[in-house]
Amino acid sequence: MTTARRVLVTGGAGFIGANFVRYWSDHYPDDRLVVLDALTYAGNLANLASVSDRGNYKFVHGNILDEAMLDDVMRQQQIDTIVHFAAESHVDRSIHEPDAFIQTNVVGTNKLLMAARRLWLDSDAAPETHLFHHVSTDEVYGTLGADDPPFTEHTTYAPNSPYAASKAASDHLVRSYHHTFGLQVTTSNCSNNYGPFQFPEKLIPLMIVNALTGKPLPVYGDGSNIRDWLYVEDHCRGIDLVMNKGQVGGTYNIGGNNEWRNIDIVNQLCVSIDAAFSRDDRLAGQFPDAPAASGRKTESLITFVKDRLGHDWRYAIDATLAQSELGYNPKEDFASGFQLTLNWMLQNENWWRAVMDGSYRDWISKNYSAGA
Ligand code: NAD
Ligand code: TYD
């Protein structure tokens, strides 16, 4: 693709979407970027502050369930590329309140596909070329045992949580619009992301915030569950490669080559926070409630809590296809990616304090109590 594109990014005010908008803006400055986001609890315009005065950028506050709005935006902005991030994304919430996941992830994805089909395949205003890129997760493949090979693109779908099931359904819908109608689509299934702007309900930012504010670090079950961690910028690069070099109709797994047990992640994080406080005296004044501020070990906050229902034991990605066909390789290992993330969290206290409002804390303490 060489000419400037008109790109609609759904969910662009969320964690990965905002990182992607920033990435795309840097790499493709001539492209028009339209961010469409409902600004749920996870969406935050502050995540887009650095691109908001970019020419060729527009933010639309809207819900992907709103068909008329989708048609208007697609037509008025002459969209030829969609990158679809908008979703309910937190497994714990899907266990307690699954309905929103079906609405946004399944029904919403279908509405977006229908709008794309109306403009791109069934109208006189169709652009010369188009692409619908769908962002999905490795959780659609279910869970692995210790000796199982990592997920490939051919692993059978076996989603275990309402979140994973809703994403699996959305993947199937995207596939079907390609097969049935000829919509030009690509899909990527990635592992657990971490990095700047991640809402502090997910493991890594939650643990950092709690460590800095002297709150318990809640490890579900015995902490032996394993995830493959992917630094968000590596994910954005992977999506770029899939969109520009991937086979239309194709699916690509994007991983970080970084399998860690949860308890090892949390221990590592505690050591890194202790080290940051030893290096920089000012942190004790900035975060007086952190154990590290008074010379205690952050690991003293680790608390084992009741396990998540249906908790998948292990996720691992085999990214050989993306590697061999697209030249994808993650740049960050966990040590470097985690240091970037911790530094960002230390420097952006205002950001995480603003998003950690009272209602979220209440929800967590209602659903996850100590003492498993
Ligand atoms: P997020 O929860 O941080 O952000 C989701 C964004 O979507 C928010 O800005 C929210 O306001 C918006 N949104 C939600 N419902 C909407 C609706 N109905 N209409 C319009 N906007 C809506 O999520 P994230 O972590 O950035 O994940 C982005 C995508 O990547 C999701 O599709 C998720 O399934 C996928 N994914 C995430 C991870 C991860 O580790 N975070 C891993 C694999 C795949
Ligand atoms: P999470 O960040 O919610 O991502 P996902 O469930 O999509 O993998 O959780 C990552 C892992 O960390 C998962 O095994 C659940 C576990 N976890 C905890 O032990 N404590 C927590 O407070 C959270 C949020 C997650």
Side-chain angles (χ1 to χ4, degrees), residues 89-92 139 163 192 198 201-204 206-207 218-220 225-227 229 262 308 311-312 315:
S89 67
H90 189 38
V91 173
D92 292 324
E139 303 192 26
Y163 164 67
N192 286 59
Q198 186 166 31
E201 64 183 351
K202 307 277 168 62
L203 181 73
I204 288 179
L206 177 82
M207 294 292 169
V219 175
Y220 298 168
N225 305 65
I226 295 170
R227 299 290 183 265
W229 293 94
N262 291 341
R308 173 186 278 173
H311 196 174
D312 282 340
Y315 302 142

Side-chain angles (χ1 to χ4, degrees), residues 11 13-17 37-40 42-43 62-64 85-87 89 104 135-137 163 167 190-193 198 202:
F15 160 49
I16 307 174
D37 199 294
L39 297 180
T40 68
N63 195 310
I64 55 168
F85 293 93
S89 67
T104 288
V135 179
S136 193
T137 168
Y163 164 67
K167 291 298 290 187
C190 70
S191 54
N192 286 59
N193 283 220
Q198 186 166 31
K202 307 277 168 62

Side-chain angles (χ1 to χ4, degrees), residues 8 41 54 100 106 131 133 230-231 245 283 286 293 314 336 340 342:
L8 178 69
Y41 78 94
R54 173 195 200 261
V106 185
L131 181 70
H133 180 76
L230 172 63
Y231 189 65
K245 291 179 154 183
L283 291 178
Q286 190 180 349
R314 175 177 167 232
S336 62
L340 289 169
L342 177 60

Side-chain angles (χ1 to χ4, degrees), residues 5 12 72 83 105 130 142 150 161 213 263-264 285 301 333 340 342 364:
R5 287 156 288 199
D72 284 351
V83 193
N105 301 2
H130 69 255
S161 69
T213 53
I263 189 64
D264 295 334
L301 295 175
D333 61 19
L340 289 169
L342 177 60
I364 276 292

Side-chain angles (χ1 to χ4, degrees), residues 128-173:
E128 243 169 70
T129 60
H130 69 255
L131 181 70
F132 186 114
H133 180 76
H134 178 54
V135 179
S136 193
T137 168
D138 59 1
E139 303 192 26
V140 299
Y141 300 121
T143 186
L144 295 169
D147 299 326
D148 290 333
F151 304 128
T152 73
E153 291 77 2
H154 300 292
T155 302
T156 306
Y157 274 36
N160 287 322
S161 69
Y163 164 67
S166 68
K167 291 298 290 187
S170 69
D171 293 8
H172 295 323
L173 283 166

